[in-house]
């Protein structure tokens, strides 16, 4: 195929490895690029140049892919204009960027389908949540009962109101909030199997609970549909946080609409810690840019305790996780907790609750 003839429609018949390579290049582009070294820096501290070897090291789905196959895929992607090459580094073209985002999303939603279906049925994970958060709601976040109670108190949801839980995962937090307040809740997530199970689990609460498959980057609700919107550890995944907040604002009712967000943010050693102040943080800035006044609660100190409990509980339950065939869940939680705790100790990680309210 001649150069630049690829379109977003080329996606469906693309070989799987090429989709994976596009997804990896798209993940690179969403992280920070260091000008001098040409490396991308990931939130977990990994650094990588977008070379054949760098790309191959990110194809981490258990397949031991040879560099040769990766190079062949890249050549093919170059030929159809989805990828560009500078020296030994590869970058996405404009169409490549669109397709790369699509591939990355598809892989992420499959990943969450797989992961969350296992956490929901795992005895070890249930014990983990009980120990770390104070209650098993199959949370995949950093939200303990203190934070969840603050959310519920501050939102003051009434049975006559409707709230959206953005990226609800298995929707047990959504269900818990509705059970306590009587409010109607809509849980949205892009992982279809997760949503299907939430619908089946709550079939007798259909008058209050609706679960829908949807993409946070492409929300199709009518304007002014919700009294409140909550996002618990989900805005990390949106393409453009300013545009997402603008959209969420439009979905809120203008009188007493509330937007509640839990978000953790870190900075690199070479960045100023000022980026972590509430007003200059990513969410704070996006709320201000959209003309929304907000209050914040700083949960950095208490989240330190949560991360410590995560490390301890993961270690205690390690064998049970392994026996269930869920060793990767243990690894994921333990590693994430250790990395984040180190950042907190170095003053390079914060966690805030943001609450913005439209006119009373
Ligand atoms: C860290 S989990 C948090 C889940 C849940 N809110 C909780 O607190 O337990 C992030 C969730 O966001 C969902 N997600 C990620 N990107 C999304 C997108 N573009 N649209 C909809 N859901 C998305 C994932 O499927 C996952 O369930």
């Amino acid at each position: 195929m001649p150069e630049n003839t690829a379109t977003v429609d080329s996606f469906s018949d693309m070989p799987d490895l090429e989709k994976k390579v596009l997804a990896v290049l798209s993940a690179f582009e969403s992280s920070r690029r260091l000008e001098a070294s040409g490396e991308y820096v990931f939130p977990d501290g990994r650094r990588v140049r977008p070379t054949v070897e760098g790309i191959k090291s990110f194809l981490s789905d258990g397949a031991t892919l040879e560099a040769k196959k990766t190079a062949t895929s890249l050549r093919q992607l170059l030929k159809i204009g989805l990828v560009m090459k500078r020296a030994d580094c590869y970058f996405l073209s404009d169409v490549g960027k669109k397709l790369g985002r699509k591939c990355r999303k598809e892989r992420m939603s499959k990943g969450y389908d797989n992961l969350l279906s296992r956490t929901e049925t795992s005895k070890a994970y249930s014990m983990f949540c009980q120990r770390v958060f104070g209650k098993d709601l199959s949370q995949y976040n950093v939200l303990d009962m203190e934070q969840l109670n603050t959310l519920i108190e501050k939102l003051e949801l009434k049975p006559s109101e409707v709230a959206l839980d953005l990226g609800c995962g298995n929707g047990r937090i959504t269900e818990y909030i509705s059970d306590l307040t009587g409010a109607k809740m809509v849980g949205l997530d892009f992982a279809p199997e997760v949503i299907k199970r939430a619908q089946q689990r709550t079939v007798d609460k259909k008058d209050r609970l609706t679960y829908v498959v949807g993409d946070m980057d492409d929300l199709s609700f009518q304007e002014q549909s919700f009294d409140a919107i909550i996002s618990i550890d989900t805005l990390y995944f949106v393409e453009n946080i300013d545009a997402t907040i603008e959209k969420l604002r439009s979905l809120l009712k203008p009188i007493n609409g509330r937007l509640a967000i839990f978000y953790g943010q870190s900075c690199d050693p070479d960045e100023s810690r000022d980026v972590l102040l509430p007003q200059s943080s990513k969410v704070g800035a996006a709320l201000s840019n959209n003309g929304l006044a907000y209050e914040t609660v700083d949960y950095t100190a208490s989240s330190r305790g949560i991360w410590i409990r995560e490390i301890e509980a993961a270690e205690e339950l390690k064998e049970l996780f392994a026996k269930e065939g869920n060793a990767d869940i243990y690894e994921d939680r333990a590693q994430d907790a250790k990395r984040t705790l180190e950042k907190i100790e170095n003053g390079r990680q914060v966690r805030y609750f943001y609450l913005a309210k439209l006119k009373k």
Side-chain angles (χ1 to χ4, degrees):
M1 212 186 289
E3 187 115 345
N4 289 328
T5 53
T7 64
V8 176
D9 298 332
S10 327
F11 179 71
S12 47
D13 11 277
M14 190 171 285
D16 201 39
L17 179 54
E18 276 153 49
K19 284 189 188 176
K20 284 183 195 166
V21 170
L22 283 182
V24 169
L25 284 172
S26 173
F28 286 1
E29 294 212 349
S30 70
S31 58
R32 207 159 68 96
R33 184 141 202 270
L34 299 179
E35 285 310 321
S37 65
E39 291 170 305
Y40 290 98
V41 187
F42 281 78
D44 63 8
R46 279 187 292 181
R47 284 168 178 249
V48 65
R49 288 181 76 235
T51 59
V52 171
E53 272 309 313
I55 294 164
K56 185 179 155 296
S57 69
F58 265 68
L59 294 166
S60 58
D61 56 354
T64 42
L65 288 157
E66 297 143 36
K68 221 162 108 187
K69 282 192 189 160
T70 310
T72 310
S73 298
L74 279 162
R75 265 201 303 280
Q76 185 54 26
L77 292 168
L78 264 173
K79 209 160 125 192
I80 59 172
L82 294 177
V83 158
M84 300 172 300
K85 191 174 179 194
R86 261 176 260 135
D88 58 345
C89 292
Y90 293 87
F91 304 91
L92 293 171
S93 67
D94 285 344
V95 184
K97 282 181 190 162
K98 276 192 197 147
L99 269 173
R101 278 197 292 271
K102 210 168 166 174
C103 295
R104 191 146 67 98
K105 222 167 241 186
E106 190 183 86
R107 290 175 65 72
M108 266 177 61
S109 92
K110 280 191 187 148
Y112 268 114
D113 254 343
N114 174 301
L115 176 75
L116 297 184
S117 64
R118 288 186 291 131
T119 54
E120 207 177 354
T121 48
S122 157
K123 177 133 194 295
Y125 199 73
S126 165
M127 291 164 75
F128 176 86
C129 289
Q130 183 72 46
R131 167 104 160 72
V132 174
F133 305 116
K135 191 171 183 66
D136 170 25
L137 294 173
S138 201
Q139 301 87 330
Y140 216 82
N141 59 31
V142 201
L143 189 92
D144 63 3
M145 291 312 284
E146 183 196 348
Q147 295 175 42
L148 182 51
N149 289 335
T150 304
L151 173 73
I152 293 169
E153 272 165 33
K154 296 230 175 215
L155 280 183
E156 297 182 282
L157 284 168
K158 298 174 196 67
S160 58
E161 292 189 312
V162 187
L164 171 67
D165 183 0
L166 204 62
C168 63
N170 56 44
R172 286 189 51 202
I173 296 175
T174 330
E175 184 180 354
Y176 180 78
I177 298 174
S178 174
D179 286 349
L180 274 187
T181 62
K184 293 186 183 59
M185 304 275 305
V186 179
L188 173 137
D189 204 284
F190 72 168
E193 285 305 314
V194 169
I195 287 296
K196 199 161 116 194
R197 275 198 318 280
Q199 289 166 340
Q200 287 163 352
R201 187 186 68 239
T202 57
V203 75
D204 56 343
K205 298 180 184 175
K206 256 179 159 170
D207 52 329
R208 285 189 285 119
L209 282 166
T210 310
Y211 292 99
V212 294
V213 178
D215 182 352
M216 291 193 280
D217 292 314
D218 189 17
L219 294 167
S220 56
F221 300 105
Q222 280 193 342
E223 291 198 351
Q224 304 186 5
S225 296
F226 299 104
D227 298 282
I229 300 178
I230 65 177
S231 155
I232 304 170
D233 290 302
T234 61
L235 287 187
Y236 316 114
F237 305 104
V238 298
E239 278 165 22
N240 179 328
I241 201 160
D242 270 43
T244 303
I245 299 279
E246 185 182 1
K247 179 75 188 178
L248 296 180
R249 186 193 171 138
S250 77
L251 298 181
L252 283 173
K253 293 187 183 162
I255 307 292
N256 202 26
R258 289 90 90 196
L259 177 56
I261 298 165
F262 284 93
Y263 194 93
Q265 187 174 327
S266 63
C267 70
D268 289 327
D270 59 345
E271 271 185 297
S272 158
R273 286 188 172 93
D274 287 354
V275 298
L276 302 180
L277 295 170
Q279 66 276 18
S280 37
S281 65
K282 288 179 190 165
V283 175
L287 290 168
S288 300
N289 292 344
N290 280 288
L292 287 164
Y294 60 91
E295 59 172 285
T296 48
V297 183
D298 187 344
Y299 280 112
T300 311
S302 72
S303 73
R304 182 177 172 275
I306 300 177
W307 292 113
I308 292 173
R309 289 201 296 281
E310 290 215 7
I311 295 170
E312 290 169 357
E315 207 48 49
E316 275 167 29
L317 296 162
K318 187 176 176 175
E319 276 178 25
L320 187 54
F321 273 118
K323 229 189 241 169
E324 293 176 346
N326 287 325
D328 59 323
I329 299 178
Y330 152 81
E331 292 286 344
D332 182 59
R333 295 307 303 214
Q335 275 177 23
D336 193 25
K338 282 178 196 157
R339 270 195 306 262
T340 314
L341 190 59
E342 193 186 324
K343 285 188 187 164
I344 291 183
E345 308 289 15
N346 292 325
R348 303 210 164 271
Q349 170 88 33
V350 288
R351 178 171 180 77
Y352 298 124
F353 169 59
Y354 302 80
L355 178 65
K357 282 188 187 170
L358 303 190
K359 275 198 304 259
K360 269 270 181 209

